[in-house]
């Protein structure tokens, strides 16, 4: 297929080959997440763990589609991030960073993989300790997980993005937690990690998004971040930002030699997907990136923080809106949670009892029964279930 033909026909889930690529990317990112979790031990260096996650994705994708005529792009779609405790997101430090994990750290792991531009994204929350998670740490994880389970059931053809926003806020409140502001769940398309159709986490006057209805054959990365604090994260230090994405619609003639060198390297290695500054020559990158960001050639992903002492949890999954129902392709089982809150709200229970498959293929009733059984002890919901049924 020529580039012109490719542009005319947008590849989506009506193509079995596209579905296969999404599921292959999901299988790799799920295993990469498992590997990262196994490395999360006290005194382990954060940058080393992030590198292991990215390396695994590069190795596994690199061994696929080797013998095809046309080169297929594949690899890391979002660098591995390991955000600790009250750090909300995007912490993926440079090689020189000495940050290590400690017993009792609450980690948010965020990563994504793509094959031919078809992206599987995942985020998971893990406590660095043996045994069950208790207290407010358990509440904040359960809030994110239950909100994700509700979102999975409400993101279906014919439903509206605003309904999902309202529902996830209600779930967080049931655990006496807040949904973190500024987090968007995006539709994804080939080579597009942040499509135009979005679900807002928190509706407020400052942030407005267009009303949108979900449609069959769409793909979404559902992104839920919860906090025991105010849910209004702040940027504390711009120097912590290491993840950027090329803003393809912007151009500017850079003045500094270091900027031009780095920008040329970025265009060559990372023309579309977000990348980590670790992949660039560190000294030159520090100088050059600033000018690139100042002139909007790069979109930064800042490291945001809640207040010290706040617990923050993050659950993200990729869902394919298939004709026979929603197919959640990325996830990882949670640790055992012993929450201080239980969900009694009948509306939340009713959402959790919904099936994720449509009835027309005959599979709906069975799935509904299974999910209904899981929905009562919400915090015990096993995020791996949908994936295991592939």
């Amino acid at each position: 297929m020529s580039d012109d033909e490719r542009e005319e026909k947008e590849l989506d889930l009506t193509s079995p080959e596209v579905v296969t690529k999404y599921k292959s990317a999901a299988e790799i990112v799920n295993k990469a997440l498992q590997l990262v979790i196994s490395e999360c031990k006290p005194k382990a260096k954060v940058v080393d763990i992030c590198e292991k996650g990215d390396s695994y994705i590069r190795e596994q994708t690199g061994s696929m589609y080797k013998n095809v005529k046309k080169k297929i792009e594949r690899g890391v779609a979002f660098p591995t991030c390991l955000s600790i405790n009250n750090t909300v997101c995007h912490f993926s430090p440079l090689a020189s960073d000495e940050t290590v994990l400690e017993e009792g750290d609450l980690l948010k792991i965020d990563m994504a993989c793509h094959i031919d531009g078809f992206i599987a994204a995942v985020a998971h929350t893990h406590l660095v300790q043996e045994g069950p998670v208790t207290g407010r740490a358990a509440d904040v994880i359960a809030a994110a997980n239950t909100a994700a389970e509700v979102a999975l059931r409400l993101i279906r053809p014919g439903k509206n993005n605003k309904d999902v926003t309202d529902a996830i806020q209600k779930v967080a409140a049931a655990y006496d937690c807040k949904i973190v502001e500024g987090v968007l769940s995006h539709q994804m398309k080939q080579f597009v990690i942040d499509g135009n159709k979005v679900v807002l986490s928190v509706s407020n006057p400052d942030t407005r998004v267009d009303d949108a209805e979900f449609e069959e054959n769409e793909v979404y990365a559902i992104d839920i971040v919860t906090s025991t604090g105010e849910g209004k994260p702040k940027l504390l230090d711009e120097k912590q930002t290491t993840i950027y994405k090329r803003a393809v619609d912007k151009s500017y003639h850079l003045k500094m030699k270091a900027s031009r060198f780095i920008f040329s390297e970025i265009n060559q290695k990372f023309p579309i997907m977000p990348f980590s500054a670790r992949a660039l020559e560190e000294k030159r990158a520090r100088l050059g990136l600033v000018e690139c960001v100042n002139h909007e050639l790069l979109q930064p992903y800042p490291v945001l923080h809640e207040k010290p002492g706040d617990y923050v949890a993050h659950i993200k999954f990729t869902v394919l809106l298939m004709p026979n129902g929603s197919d959640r392709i990325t996830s990882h089982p949670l640790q055992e949670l012993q929450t201080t809150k239980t969900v009694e709200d009948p509306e939340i229970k009713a959402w959790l009892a919904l099936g994720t498959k449509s009835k027309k293929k005959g599979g709906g009733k069975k799935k509904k029964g299974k999910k209904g059984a899981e929905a009562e002890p919400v915090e015990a919901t096993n995020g791996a279930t949908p994936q295991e049924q592939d």
Side-chain angles (χ1 to χ4, degrees):
M1 183 187 282
S2 72
D3 286 347
D4 293 345
E5 286 175 310
R6 180 182 285 268
E7 279 186 347
E8 277 172 38
K9 185 186 184 310
E10 193 174 85
L11 290 170
D12 65 15
L13 300 178
T14 52
S15 156
E17 191 189 354
V18 168
V19 176
T20 299
K21 285 173 180 172
Y22 272 117
K23 291 196 172 182
S24 299
E27 193 178 337
I28 291 169
V29 86
N30 286 330
K31 284 180 178 165
L33 173 59
Q34 198 170 341
L35 170 71
V36 166
I37 292 169
S38 72
E39 296 287 336
C40 290
K41 299 184 172 84
K43 303 304 174 200
K45 216 163 149 185
V46 171
V47 64
D48 293 347
I49 301 173
C50 291
E51 266 304 314
K52 280 180 180 163
D54 290 350
S55 297
Y56 181 84
I57 290 173
R58 281 193 295 267
E59 285 161 18
Q60 296 298 310
T61 54
S63 65
M64 301 179 77
Y65 295 100
K66 270 181 170 174
N67 304 318
V68 289
K69 284 179 188 167
K70 184 178 178 292
K71 188 189 172 206
I72 286 185
E73 296 289 334
R74 57 213 191 275
V76 175
F78 199 88
T80 304
C81 300
L82 212 58
S83 304
I84 305 168
N85 296 330
N86 61 311
T87 304
V88 175
C89 56
H90 303 151
F91 188 66
S92 187
L94 297 173
S96 53
D97 188 275
E98 296 295 328
T99 307
V100 296
L101 300 182
E102 302 293 351
E103 180 84 21
D105 279 348
L106 189 64
L107 310 178
K108 279 73 64 187
I109 303 159
D110 187 6
M111 60 204 314
C113 166
H114 81 97
I115 292 170
D116 198 17
F118 299 106
I119 301 161
V122 70
H124 179 77
T125 301
H126 177 79
L127 187 69
V128 183
Q129 70 166 42
E130 296 295 320
V133 183
T134 59
R136 294 297 280 151
D139 289 346
V140 79
I141 298 172
N145 188 60
T146 307
E149 292 287 349
V150 166
L152 173 64
R153 288 155 176 73
L154 295 183
I155 292 175
R156 50 175 68 202
K159 289 275 190 189
N160 192 284
N161 57 352
K162 188 179 179 302
D163 300 335
V164 181
T165 303
D166 296 343
I168 60 178
Q169 285 181 256
K170 186 168 189 174
V171 171
Y175 288 96
D176 196 18
C177 292
K178 290 269 197 315
I179 295 285
V180 170
E181 289 182 8
V183 180
L184 297 173
S185 295
H186 286 273
Q187 183 188 3
M188 297 195 293
K189 296 181 178 182
Q190 189 180 22
F191 291 108
V192 180
I193 201 166
D194 47 6
N196 292 334
K197 271 195 187 180
V198 298
V199 179
L200 203 55
S201 300
V202 178
S203 45
N204 63 30
D206 305 334
T207 325
R208 293 192 182 280
V209 297
D210 293 337
D211 282 354
E213 192 178 285
F214 305 112
E215 294 173 51
E216 203 170 274
N217 295 315
E218 290 181 336
V219 179
Y220 286 87
I222 303 307
D223 209 348
I224 312 276
V225 184
T226 49
S227 172
T228 58
E230 292 177 7
K232 297 179 190 235
K234 295 193 167 44
L235 171 64
L236 299 183
D237 182 3
E238 280 184 13
K239 288 195 188 77
Q240 282 192 315
T241 304
T242 60
I243 297 176
Y244 303 88
K245 180 165 80 86
R246 170 84 173 88
V248 285
D249 54 340
K250 296 279 195 291
S251 61
Y252 174 80
H253 185 67
L254 293 160
K255 304 289 187 283
M256 284 168 56
K257 191 177 176 185
S259 308
R260 291 198 296 273
F261 176 85
I262 284 299
F263 193 58
S264 158
E265 190 182 351
I266 290 164
N267 277 329
Q268 223 175 338
K269 288 186 180 172
F270 312 105
I272 299 170
M273 297 293 181
F275 64 91
S276 162
R278 265 198 318 277
L280 309 169
E281 192 192 320
E282 193 165 323
K283 274 188 182 167
R284 215 171 223 180
R286 276 179 191 274
L287 282 169
L289 288 169
V290 175
E291 192 184 4
C292 294
V293 171
N294 287 346
H295 293 285
E296 299 182 341
L297 295 176
L298 296 177
Q299 173 194 329
Y301 287 82
V303 179
L304 301 176
H305 303 265
E306 281 278 70
K307 289 182 180 148
D310 291 344
Y311 290 112
V312 180
H314 187 186
I315 301 281
K316 184 196 293 180
F317 64 87
T318 303
V319 59
L320 314 181
L321 302 189
M322 303 295 289
N324 65 336
S326 301
D327 193 355
R328 174 180 177 166
I329 57 170
T330 59
S331 62
H332 190 279
L334 294 169
Q335 291 159 290
E336 186 192 334
L337 303 177
Q338 294 177 0
T339 59
T340 70
K341 314 277 176 196
T342 53
V343 172
E344 302 300 340
D345 188 295
E347 191 174 21
I348 296 174
K349 286 186 171 184
W351 287 327
L352 287 163
L354 293 170
T356 57
K357 298 294 180 196
S358 59
K359 297 257 174 88
K360 56 188 170 194
K361 292 283 164 98
K365 283 195 171 143
K366 184 177 169 195
K367 186 92 173 201
K368 181 173 176 179
K370 178 162 184 174
K371 284 293 169 194
E374 286 178 355
E376 183 65 34
V378 176
E379 59 273 22
T381 304
N382 180 350
T385 310
Q387 164 196 330
E388 284 168 359
Q389 296 187 345
D390 281 350

